[in-house]
């Protein structure tokens, strides 16, 4: 697969873990085109945060790729206790 | 009027606003279509704004809520979320109670 637009799952996981070191990250490729993923991110740093804030933390970890290079990332976030 | 003023005016003068790709009748993106279906299902009256009409709006809305993707749902001026969060809230029955709390008539049971 050529290096066209989009991001590799491992790259997404690396960026999220760089920003949220304790996070457990599970990524599912929805379309096999490096552009449509679903990700579940569990981290203590989400504690006390609203869903919007939790997702914003993950988007921030992706350093502006979200919505640009990466078109779709269906996010599920939570704290270890769920 | 700057794009940020335009957005602020839209979200404060309409109870429920959905910034989307396409229109409620013709969504042009799967995620926008999902939120349209959910809003139609719970029967929430809303105003659809097509961000594809203007590149300035398409970028401006991402700055407004510091949220990088479309669609974006606003209720009573408050950013509720994108497709994931709206779907998650809907499945948990939270969307209906949230709307009722904000004084927007929706089908409670859904």
């Amino acid at each position: 697969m050529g290096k066209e637009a989009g991001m590799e799952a491992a790259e997404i996981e690396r960026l999220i873990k760089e920003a949220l070191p304790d996070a457990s990250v599970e990524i599912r490729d929805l379309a096999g085109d490096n552009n449509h993923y679903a990700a579940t991110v569990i981290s203590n740093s989400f504690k006390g945060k609203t869903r919007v804030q939790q997702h914003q933390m993950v988007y921030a970890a992706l350093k502006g790729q979200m919505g640009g290079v990466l078109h779709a990332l269906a996010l599920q976030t939570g704290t270890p206790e769920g | 009027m700057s794009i940020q003023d335009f957005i602020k005016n839209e979200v404060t003068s309409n109870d429920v606003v959905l910034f989307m790709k396409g229109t409620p009748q013709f969504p042009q993106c799967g995620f926008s279509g999902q939120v349209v279906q959910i809003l139609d299902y719970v029967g929430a009256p809303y105003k659809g704004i097509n961000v594809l009409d203007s590149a300035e709006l398409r970028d401006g809305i991402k700055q407004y809520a510091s949220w990088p993707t479309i669609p974006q749902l606003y209720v009573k001026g408050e950013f509720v979320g994108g497709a994931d969060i709206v779907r998650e809230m809907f499945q948990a029955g939270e969307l209906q109670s949230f709307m009722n709390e904000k004084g927007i008539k929706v089908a409670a049971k859904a």
Side-chain angles (χ1 to χ4, degrees):
Chain A
M1 287 244 287
K3 192 87 192 78
E4 48 345 63
M7 285 173 77
E8 306 286 343
E11 173 69 359
I12 295 171
E13 185 166 346
R14 187 186 63 76
L15 284 171
I16 293 174
K17 285 195 168 163
E18 208 174 79
L20 305 169
D22 76 315
S24 79
V25 181
E26 185 224 315
I27 296 181
R28 293 188 310 283
D29 189 335
L30 299 178
D33 61 358
N34 280 353
N35 230 323
H36 293 78
Y37 292 100
T40 304
V41 184
I42 305 295
S43 163
N44 271 314
S45 42
F46 290 147
K47 202 165 278 173
K49 296 276 196 309
T50 65
R51 276 197 190 93
V52 170
Q53 289 165 331
Q54 292 177 19
H55 287 213
Q56 281 172 326
M57 287 164 74
V58 176
Y59 289 148
L62 297 176
K63 298 192 176 72
Q65 317 265 14
M66 187 60 228
V69 165
L70 183 56
H71 176 64
L73 177 64
L75 269 181
Q76 201 95 40
T77 54
T79 53
E81 303 84 30
Chain B
M1 181 194 276
S2 79
I3 200 72
Q4 296 300 318
D5 295 338
F6 167 77
I7 295 167
K8 189 171 188 56
N9 178 50
E10 286 296 331
V11 299
T12 44
S13 48
N14 295 285
D15 280 351
V16 183
V17 183
L18 178 63
F19 290 89
M20 62 179 293
K21 288 179 184 171
T23 61
Q25 293 72 25
F26 300 106
Q28 290 175 274
C29 162
F31 294 109
S32 292
Q34 260 177 23
V35 177
V36 163
Q37 276 173 355
I38 288 172
L39 292 175
D40 291 345
Y41 184 86
V42 301
Y46 66 97
K47 175 173 184 176
I49 296 178
N50 186 357
V51 300
L52 300 179
D53 287 347
S54 121
E56 196 190 6
L57 174 58
R58 186 172 180 172
D59 289 332
I61 192 66
K62 293 176 182 175
Q63 267 81 42
Y64 186 80
S66 63
W67 189 264
T69 56
I70 307 291
Q72 294 184 17
L73 180 66
Y74 292 76
V75 174
K76 298 270 177 152
E78 189 192 323
F79 175 58
V80 176
D84 302 341
I85 288 177
V86 171
R87 189 180 57 248
E88 209 175 309
M89 287 176 76
F90 171 65
Q91 285 164 347
E94 282 174 31
L95 186 61
Q96 295 84 329
S97 47
F98 176 80
M99 292 276 197
N100 285 327
E101 257 164 51
K102 298 281 180 181
I104 292 155
K105 278 286 141 275
V106 288
K109 51 164 184 36

